């Protein structure tokens, strides 16, 4: 087996692992463990490294894919088609989570020292900016 074929097999393996890991991540970000999200990120980084290494092999003008390679590439395409909706769901969940965090942060900044100054005469005054 050539070196590029080993890299192609590694790429397929990482894609399958990424697919399985992405399926395990919940769409509600609060239900996920930090390790799950970090595992997805680590798999993406490893995959990118393998992609970069594969691209070095394919730059050679005499390079051609074999029939076996084309079968592996077909499997990769099938996994990618399955993975894309999962990644879109994860991206949307991250966006929702970030928006919630930003809204909470902005709301908390609107109140300035409302509880730090003593109230006078038993009344409470809401001090918004």
């Amino acid at each position: 087996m050539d070196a590029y074929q080993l890299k192609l097999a590694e790429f397929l393996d990482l894609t399958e692992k990424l697919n399985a890991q992405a399926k395990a991540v919940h769409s509600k970000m609060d239900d996920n463990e930090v390790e799950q999200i970090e595992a997805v990120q680590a798999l993406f980084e490893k995959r990118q490294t393998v992609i970069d290494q594969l691209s070095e092999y394919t730059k050679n003008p005499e390079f051609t894919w074999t029939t076996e390679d084309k079968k592996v590439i077909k499997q990769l395409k099938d996994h990618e088609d399955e993975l894309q909706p999962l990644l879109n769901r994860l991206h949307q969940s991250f966006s929702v989570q970030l928006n919630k965090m930003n809204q909470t942060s902005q709301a908390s900044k609107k109140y300035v020292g409302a509880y730090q100054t003593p109230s006078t005469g038993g009344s409470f005054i809401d001090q918004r900016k």
Side-chain angles (χ1 to χ4, degrees), residues 9-94:
E10 182 181 357
F11 184 50
L12 178 62
D13 182 54
L14 288 171
T15 302
E16 289 171 347
K17 287 178 181 177
L18 180 61
N19 203 344
Q21 190 68 35
K23 286 179 182 178
V25 174
H26 298 285
S27 59
K28 186 177 178 188
M29 285 296 130
D30 293 336
D31 293 343
N32 293 316
E33 297 291 325
V34 174
E35 293 81 21
Q36 286 178 304
I37 305 302
E38 289 174 350
V40 170
Q41 179 64 30
L43 286 169
F44 269 120
E45 290 170 1
K46 287 178 187 176
R47 240 177 62 139
Q48 185 59 49
T49 302
V50 173
I51 289 170
D52 293 341
Q53 292 167 348
L54 274 172
S55 69
E56 289 301 316
Y57 291 111
T58 58
K59 286 180 181 177
N60 185 351
E62 299 162 7
F63 179 83
T64 58
W65 296 109
T66 65
T67 306
E68 289 298 316
D69 296 340
K70 290 178 182 178
K71 288 179 184 177
V72 172
I73 292 169
K74 169 85 169 90
Q75 287 178 313
L76 279 167
K77 285 181 182 179
D78 292 342
H79 286 301
E80 286 291 327
D81 290 343
E82 189 177 337
L83 187 61
Q84 196 59 44
L86 295 172
L87 296 179
N88 288 341
R89 178 181 52 92
L90 284 177
H91 183 266
Q92 180 145 9
S93 296
F94 279 125

Side-chain angles (χ1 to χ4, degrees), residues 99-117:
N99 285 340
K100 284 181 184 178
M101 288 172 41
N102 285 336
Q103 288 173 353
T104 302
S105 174
Q106 289 174 359
S108 67
K109 289 178 184 176
K110 287 183 180 178
Y111 292 94
V112 177
Y115 299 104
Q116 293 173 355
T117 58

